[in-house]
Amino acid sequence: MTKVALVTGGSRGIGRGICLALARSGVNVAVNYGSSATAAEEVVEAINALGREGLAIGADVSFPDRVEEMVKTVMERWGRIDILVNNAGITRDRLLLRMKVEDWEQVINLNLTGVFLCTSAVSKIMLKQKAGRIINISSIAGIMGNAGQANYSAAKAGVIGFTRSVARELASRGITVNAVAPGFIDTDMTAALGEEVVKGVLQSIPLGRFGTVAEVAGLVEFLALSEAANYITGQVLNIDGGLVMS
Ligand code: NAD
């Protein structure tokens, strides 16, 4: 039986890397995207080139009806969902005193409510299957905080609390739920940082470099597919070059 994954925000960056890593390991992948259909179709082509099936689904995952429709589309195509990766995320960085309520709401709606909506919709299917792996992409900002990211840090910390609660609720039904907390990873999100900021950040990373998309994708692939991960649930795995040690 070929496994099926749904990856939110799979059209670029870390999400794209996760889609390809899963496809390389034999999984059919639904590639959700927010706005760039062309990028998502390119990911589907790359999945096909790896000998697996892909499906691009445009849906803003901060809206319940879009999420329901997206999950229905995946079920119509493959009839099952074994892996859910809640990866879609945005930043609207501003210092607290300048942060508008819209900045707060947009980030919470996608980065936290989106995780709730997708997990809620997909877990119903996984409960029937009596198996499933859910992986939520948090951030070290949700653990240590970050000036200018009160909204993002709150959402990512929320994802960690959500992960632990849902892991407890679903454990007896064969479903594991874990969070991955990346540090600074080479993507569009970190390309926006200025040279001076990058210099300062590098000094605080024991391994002295940013991480790669392939490294984060490899960790997600481990949690999604490995036998060892059958016995891992409710955990937050940091992948940050040693930036956070606890
Ligand atoms: P990115 O900006 O490159 O990609 C974000 C993805 O989210 C895109 O595929 C986009 O289409 C999708 N998206 C945006 N709005 C959406 C919406 N409303 N509905 C559905 N999809 C939507 O970001 P990235 O750097 O690849 O980050 C991926 C995840 O990893 C995010 O959750 C981010 O917070 C987290 N993260 C990234 C870093 C980093 O250093 N890049 C560090 C820690 C955590």
Side-chain angles (χ1 to χ4, degrees):
M1 182 262 310
T2 303
K3 287 190 171 160
V4 175
L6 168 59
V7 180
T8 69
S11 61
R12 63 168 200 252
I14 293 172
R16 178 181 187 278
I18 292 168
C19 290
L20 298 183
L22 292 175
R24 224 170 274 126
S25 294
V27 176
N28 290 335
V29 186
V31 182
N32 159 257
Y33 63 94
S35 54
S36 174
T38 317
E41 288 300 346
E42 185 270 331
V43 178
V44 168
E45 275 171 32
I47 291 168
N48 293 339
L50 291 164
R52 301 277 36 122
E53 293 173 28
L55 177 65
I57 309 176
D60 183 335
V61 296
S62 38
F63 292 96
D65 51 342
R66 311 281 154 74
V67 170
E68 290 296 333
E69 239 171 72
M70 170 178 74
V71 171
K72 201 169 146 223
T73 307
V74 182
M75 290 303 283
E76 279 166 6
R77 172 73 177 262
W78 289 301
R80 57 184 303 115
I81 303 179
D82 303 280
I83 300 155
L84 168 67
V85 184
N86 284 306
N87 164 79
I90 50 166
T91 51
R92 294 287 180 268
D93 297 355
R94 275 176 214 276
L95 292 172
L96 179 65
L97 293 181
R98 297 205 191 107
M99 190 170 284
K100 299 193 183 75
V101 74
E102 298 85 66
D103 302 322
W104 175 266
E105 282 177 352
Q106 280 178 16
V107 169
I108 297 291
N109 288 351
L110 179 62
N111 299 11
L112 183 56
T113 307
V115 174
F116 156 68
L117 292 172
C118 293
T119 304
S120 168
V122 171
S123 64
K124 286 179 193 137
I125 292 154
M126 290 179 169
L127 283 168
K128 283 189 199 139
Q129 293 171 182
K130 297 189 171 56
R133 303 267 174 105
I134 299 172
I135 298 127
N136 300 322
I137 308 299
S138 177
S139 166
I140 53 147
I143 298 169
M144 62 191 280
N146 195 20
Q149 291 198 313
N151 49 1
Y152 183 80
S153 304
K156 293 299 189 181
V159 166
I160 291 173
F162 176 82
T163 298
R164 291 180 174 145
S165 296
V166 177
R168 288 181 189 279
E169 289 184 25
L170 300 180
S172 65
R173 319 292 282 273
I175 302 167
T176 64
V177 190
N178 290 290
V180 166
F184 289 83
I185 309 300
D186 260 325
T187 57
D188 291 352
M189 207 177 250
T190 49
L193 301 172
E195 211 175 299
E196 278 308 302
V197 177
V198 169
K199 232 171 141 187
V201 166
L202 285 176
Q203 277 171 359
S204 60
I205 302 174
L207 287 177
R209 63 171 177 87
F210 281 12
T212 66
V213 164
E215 287 164 341
V216 179
L219 178 56
V220 172
E221 183 193 342
F222 165 77
L223 289 171
L225 294 171
S226 84
E227 208 180 309
N230 281 339
Y231 202 53
I232 301 176
T233 198
Q235 301 305 308
V236 183
L237 284 95
N238 297 357
I239 177 160
D240 62 2
L243 186 53
V244 174
M245 295 191 193
S246 56

